[in-house]
Amino acid sequence: MFGVRRLSIVATILTIVAAFMGSYVRGKNAGLACPDWPLCHGRLIPPLEGLILLEWGHRMLVLFLSLIIVAILVQCWWQRRPERWVATGVFVLLIVQAVLGGITVLIRLDPWVVAIHQGMALVFFGSLVVLTVLTLQSGDRQQQTRFSV
């Protein structure tokens, strides 16, 4: 089982990858390759070809990232870590970002919604960086107290 520190680092890296992939999806005009949400062409697993694969791949990466965020949240609360409220905020921002992603598809890539979705991605990423730094710092404090005499 991975600890909160490692999961936070992995989540931060995956968020960067998801942002780049989302930009690539946008640049390739693949945003409507899956014209519905949360399904793609009415299916959990659509035909994996061309632009559909690109858009669906972005969604699957974000789904994996979401599972990691949930694992971080659960561990923070279970262990009563001081970062649990920041983890809760990151989780809430993830939900907002996912809903915005769905709305972006459902209203056919309206530029305002796309801009809000991209801006929220930055807020989410910044919050996740804060969480990661806090988990790294609290880990350092735990190491210091463990070895102190």
Side-chain angles (χ1 to χ4, degrees):
M1 179 138 184
F2 288 102
V4 173
R5 290 169 51 191
R6 285 186 184 162
L7 287 174
S8 295
I9 292 167
V10 170
T12 301
I13 293 167
L14 284 180
T15 299
I16 294 168
V17 173
F20 275 108
M21 193 171 183
S23 295
Y24 190 70
V25 165
R26 178 78 173 145
K28 287 291 191 177
N29 290 320
L32 293 178
C34 293
D36 48 348
W37 186 86
L39 301 175
C40 183
H41 293 281
R43 299 164 51 184
L44 280 175
I45 302 175
L48 301 177
E49 56 195 29
L51 297 179
I52 296 171
L53 180 60
L54 182 60
E55 168 62 10
W56 189 76
H58 174 66
R59 291 183 185 189
M60 291 302 102
L61 176 64
V62 171
L63 175 62
F64 183 63
L65 171 63
S66 299
L67 294 174
I68 292 173
I69 297 298
V70 168
I72 291 168
L73 179 66
V74 168
Q75 284 190 45
C76 281
W77 279 96
W78 184 264
Q79 299 169 5
R80 301 189 56 79
R81 294 179 66 100
E83 309 88 21
R84 63 187 178 270
W85 290 107
V86 177
T88 302
V90 168
F91 176 74
V92 169
L93 289 170
L94 173 70
I95 299 301
V96 169
Q97 181 66 350
V99 169
L100 283 171
I103 292 170
T104 299
V105 170
L106 295 176
I107 65 168
R108 310 309 232 184
L109 304 176
D110 178 86
W112 281 101
V113 178
V114 170
I116 293 168
H117 180 58
Q118 291 173 339
M120 186 56 66
L122 292 173
V123 173
F124 171 77
F125 176 69
S127 301
L128 185 56
V129 168
V130 168
L131 176 62
T132 301
V133 169
L134 290 173
T135 61
L136 291 171
Q137 288 175 343
S138 73
D140 291 341
R141 284 192 299 273
Q142 289 172 354
Q143 290 287 358
Q144 289 170 356
T145 58
R146 195 178 307 161
F147 294 111
S148 61
V149 179

